[in-house]
Amino acid sequence: MTSGNPLKLIVLFSLPMLLGNVFQQFYSMADTFIVSQTLGMDALAAVGSVGSIMFLILGLAIGLTAGLAVITAQRFGKKDEKALRRSLGVSLIIVTIISVILTIAATLNTRNILELMQTPPEIIDDAYDYLVIIFAGIGATVMFNYLSNVLRAIGDSRTPLLFLIVTSVLNVILDYAFILGLNMNVAGAGYATVISQLIASILCLIYIKKRVRILRIKKSDWTTDWLEYKEHLRIGLPYGFQYSIIAIGSVAIQITLNQLGALSVAAYTASIKIEQLLTMPLQTMGVAMSTFVAQNFGAGEFNRIKQGIKSGMSITLVYAAAIGVILLFFGRFLAGFFVEGSNAEVLDLADRFFTIQWPFYMLLALVLVLRPSIQGLGNSFVPTVAGVLELVARVIGALVLSDYFGFSGAVMSNPLAWFAATVPLVLSVYYTLKILEKEPTKRDLMLSLGSKTVYQQSKTLRKECTCS
């Protein structure tokens, strides 16, 4: 990532990740499709109703793994193998502890969580059966995401893809086997997902042990140095927090939808699956940008960071405009794949979902690309501010607008949240690019302060300018 054409590198690095993310999304989509076609609308609503709470719990841990991988990428860019392996050891301990805590807390409180979210009585039992299994498998999901992020941090985006292809096919086979063959209802979909994630984690561990020398941890790499843990938590926890506060907004929308009834839940579930699939390239570009920026920041290649951010923004904005048009005209048709018997009421609501959101996907593109780019610099402050603003806008939008506009109001909260998050991110990137244009002495100063945020770095630079 530290030499060659930035746009070409970012795109080529993104392609395997894009396919990988599509297959990872395929886990969830396979559950949704198979459940809807074999068990009916209530079962679909049950699986869909837990999506936001899954994102809330799993997002905290998965976001943490993404933040920890940023440190790995920076040390890889500096070509400091010993520090890289020490980072891996520290990260594995943190990930294990967080996974155990979340698994215990989530599984013991699954029913209480669903009741708190006002899950409709007709679907709460199925929702519980599915969700408690997913929570029990948190460790497998988190470990696979962490190992995948580590491989991507050192520039390998192909290996996680191969494992995802294998396990995605396995997921579909197990879905049908458990749901139809063993009559396990929605619980079967949960077991299929967890088992598939576990196998993907094992494959990653075997591959790293046998093929990736730089990631083989030695006894001397395990450390009890609190400063190492503090540095990793300083980057990792804000990542996880950002995922969580975004998820809280999704929970607010889900509570609103639960109050509107099972049809609204089913329509939103089908629509969001289509949206997530088509916006996957934007998320993939964001991950690629984070790795690109982190590696080049570690290597001191600041001009390349500037070129990469500008190129990434340009290509994603064009793509976002295109998918907006596609969803406007074909969203209803696509949602039909997840709606049993082409239920007209559900499809009408899905069509309304896309009609409201299609002009605003360019805002979503900016959020998904700029936030990881800023995080790649080690800046956790601005993305956290953006996440808080996004949360406030989404919660207010969901709770207030839904009172006046029903289902449409709940949907309106999404563009409102994207706009709120975009403002601080755009301002931060603009200011950061200005900093990166400073003369070489100030660039060297930024490199030496690589563990600090861009905000802190800019204050140091201003003081230096004042003194001189």
Side-chain angles (χ1 to χ4, degrees), residues 77-233:
K78 292 180 181 178
K79 303 186 185 303
D80 189 341
E81 293 188 13
K82 184 175 178 59
L84 187 154
R85 288 193 298 271
R86 190 165 61 248
S87 171
L88 186 62
V90 170
S91 299
L92 284 172
I93 292 174
I94 293 174
V95 166
T96 300
I97 294 173
I98 294 295
S99 296
V100 170
I101 293 173
L102 288 178
T103 300
I104 295 173
T107 52
L108 292 178
N109 292 283
T110 303
R111 174 71 66 169
N112 294 333
I113 293 171
L114 291 172
E115 291 175 352
L116 184 64
M117 293 180 62
Q118 302 179 44
T119 305
E122 64 268 28
I123 64 174
I124 191 170
D125 288 336
D126 282 344
Y128 174 83
D129 292 342
Y130 179 77
L131 186 60
V132 74
I133 295 168
I134 296 296
F135 282 163
I138 283 176
T141 302
V142 173
M143 185 57 66
F144 176 64
N145 276 273
Y146 173 66
L147 296 175
S148 297
N149 284 329
V150 168
L151 288 172
R152 293 175 187 130
I154 63 172
D156 183 1
S157 59
R158 297 180 181 178
T159 302
L161 165 64
L162 296 177
F163 297 149
L164 274 171
I165 292 175
V166 173
T167 52
S168 294
V169 173
L170 176 61
N171 186 61
V172 174
I173 295 173
L174 292 177
D175 267 331
Y176 278 109
F178 291 158
I179 294 175
L180 297 181
L182 300 178
N183 297 317
M184 296 176 68
N185 209 322
V186 294
Y191 283 118
T193 298
V194 171
I195 291 172
S196 299
Q197 291 280 354
L198 179 61
I199 291 175
S201 300
I202 294 172
L203 290 174
C204 268
L205 285 171
I206 294 173
Y207 174 81
I208 289 173
K209 183 177 180 180
K210 292 183 175 296
R211 303 293 296 274
V212 190
R213 179 192 60 81
I214 196 174
L215 297 180
R216 293 176 190 167
I217 302 178
K218 305 174 184 177
K219 185 177 180 180
S220 60
D221 296 322
W222 298 98
T223 179
T224 57
D225 183 357
W226 169 244
L227 291 178
E228 280 282 0
Y229 288 92
K230 182 179 179 180
E231 177 66 10
H232 283 71
L233 291 172

Side-chain angles (χ1 to χ4, degrees), residues 29 36 42 45 47 49-50 82 90 141 174 185 208 234 239 251 266 348 355 360-361 394 398 411 413 429 431 445:
M29 293 187 69
S36 68
D42 281 350
V47 172
S49 68
V50 303
K82 184 175 178 59
V90 170
T141 302
L174 292 177
N185 209 322
I208 289 173
R234 186 188 68 81
Y239 258 80
V251 170
D348 286 343
T355 301
F360 302 103
Y361 285 113
R394 180 168 276 121
V411 176
S413 65
V429 167
Y431 187 57
L445 178 60

Side-chain angles (χ1 to χ4, degrees), residues 343-402:
N343 187 300
E345 291 181 88
V346 175
L347 290 179
D348 286 343
L349 291 174
D351 185 53
R352 194 186 310 172
F353 177 99
F354 294 119
T355 301
I356 292 171
Q357 290 201 166
W358 79 270
F360 302 103
Y361 285 113
M362 293 179 72
L363 290 177
L364 178 60
L366 290 174
V367 173
L368 293 178
V369 172
L370 296 184
R371 179 155 45 204
S373 298
I374 297 170
Q375 290 168 329
L377 292 165
N379 184 342
S380 57
F381 174 72
V382 173
T384 300
V385 171
V388 171
L389 292 176
E390 181 177 355
L391 168 63
V392 172
R394 180 168 276 121
V395 170
I396 292 177
L399 298 180
V400 176
L401 294 178
S402 62

Side-chain angles (χ1 to χ4, degrees), residues 327-347:
L327 289 175
L328 174 64
F329 290 103
F330 301 103
R332 180 189 178 95
F333 169 76
L334 294 173
F337 287 102
F338 297 94
V339 178
E340 181 191 30
S342 299
N343 187 300
E345 291 181 88
V346 175
L347 290 179

